[in-house]
Amino acid sequence: MTADDRWVRELDARQRAMLAEMGVKLWLPKPRPAATTATAADPEPPAAPVVAEPAPPAVPAARHPAPAPVQAPTAAPAAAPVIAAAAAPATVAARADIATFDWPALREAVAGCRACGLCESRRNTVFGVGHTQADWMIVGEAPGENEDRQGEPFVGAAGQLLDAMLRACGRSRTSDEAARSVYIANVLKCRPPANRNPAPEEVLRCEPYLARQVALVKPRLIIAMGRFAVQSLLKTTEPIGRLRGRVHHYEGVPVIVTYHPAYLLRTPIDKAKAWADLCMAMAQ
């Protein structure tokens, strides 16, 4: 823009009207040259083309990192759940067959079970003992040291007390008569280290074995001895003191709740309550 052009553009309407009356002709640049001229003079209009031009190259630059999130470190953690998920159905499918086992197959499955960490510390699995068609079924909690050594439930001092309680009811674990015998089993088939309480996962892993034993024995009555036996069969967290004195059911079978013989050895005062529970069992 020349100095004359700038001078003409700076004239206001009144001045232009006065010059026109004086016969002075004015020339103003056309719109196109005006835009070009403004681009050279005004620093802001060029900013738009400058931003607009580099914008297309910025798109490919932003897209290159886009595939980057799909990289080896991200894929590696995802692989672990996939493996776990694939293993779980196989375990469930294998354990679902337990519901079809006969006695020999069930005993073999328990002997070779490695469903939880207790298999690493056990000496023997503790399957069960007694008449396989007994009217009564005794369900305890978990094997102790003596049970782990001998592979039989309820031995040692607790077992002797249980045998005495059964004799008082006219029954025995060794009787050949179903009506005078019992079948004895534990919720857990392996001893927890140092006789600690069974973990919920351990109980869950062993429950299919116990459920199959109940199905095969078809007892007329179940006596659940101890907190973990009661919780496993009745699916409750209620204490034994609140569950005693009434008949519960497991798969349609009446269940009497009472104290574990090992507890009675530590708390002899509750032996009278346990005897009352046995009397209720005999009345069924």
Side-chain angles (χ1 to χ4, degrees), residues 182-193:
V182 294
Y183 187 84
I184 305 174
N186 283 322
V187 173
L188 260 60
K189 310 305 183 188
C190 298
R191 177 199 179 197

Side-chain angles (χ1 to χ4, degrees), residues 2-254:
T2 63
D4 294 336
D5 291 339
R6 187 179 297 108
W7 175 80
V8 172
R9 292 178 59 86
E10 292 175 353
L11 296 176
D12 58 18
R14 178 172 173 276
Q15 291 172 329
R16 291 175 187 175
M18 291 176 60
L19 292 174
E21 289 293 330
M22 294 169 59
V24 177
K25 294 182 179 181
L26 298 176
W27 178 87
L28 292 175
K30 294 183 180 180
R32 182 179 298 177
T36 303
T37 306
T39 302
D42 191 353
E44 295 183 357
V50 170
V51 174
E53 289 300 330
V59 173
R63 289 177 181 171
H64 283 292
V70 183
Q71 51 186 302
T74 304
V82 171
I83 294 174
T91 303
V92 172
R95 296 180 65 78
D97 295 338
I98 294 174
T100 66
F101 288 172
D102 57 10
W103 282 112
L106 185 60
R107 183 179 291 273
E108 181 180 356
V110 169
C113 180
R114 303 189 65 83
C116 72
L118 295 182
C119 65
E120 302 296 337
S121 58
R122 73 189 179 204
R123 294 180 182 177
N124 294 289
T125 56
V126 181
F127 183 72
V129 67
H131 200 298
T132 56
Q133 294 179 328
D135 283 352
W136 281 17
M137 185 168 179
I138 307 295
V139 177
E141 299 180 321
E145 182 179 2
N146 292 322
E147 288 82 0
D148 179 52
R149 183 182 298 110
Q150 300 182 34
E152 182 175 331
F154 284 95
V155 297
Q160 293 172 8
L161 177 56
L162 174 61
D163 289 340
M165 295 166 67
L166 292 175
R167 283 195 300 271
C169 298
R171 294 178 179 269
S172 168
R173 71 171 78 193
T174 59
S175 175
D176 293 332
E177 300 178 34
R180 296 179 59 84
S181 182
V182 294
Y183 187 84
I184 305 174
N186 283 322
V187 173
L188 260 60
K189 310 305 183 188
C190 298
R191 177 199 179 197
N195 291 352
R196 63 163 172 77
N197 289 336
E201 182 181 355
E202 294 164 352
V203 173
L204 185 63
R205 296 288 187 176
C206 259
E207 279 182 344
Y209 296 131
L210 177 62
R212 187 54 182 164
Q213 287 176 307
V214 174
L216 289 172
V217 174
K218 297 181 176 66
R220 184 173 56 83
L221 177 73
I222 296 175
I223 301 180
M225 293 185 163
R227 174 163 60 99
F228 294 100
V230 172
Q231 290 179 352
S232 176
L233 291 173
L234 303 184
K235 305 302 180 189
T236 180
T237 58
E238 288 288 315
I240 291 178
R242 295 183 183 178
L243 297 173
R244 291 183 53 258
R246 48 198 170 102
V247 179
H248 307 270
H249 290 84
Y250 171 80
E251 298 294 333
V253 182

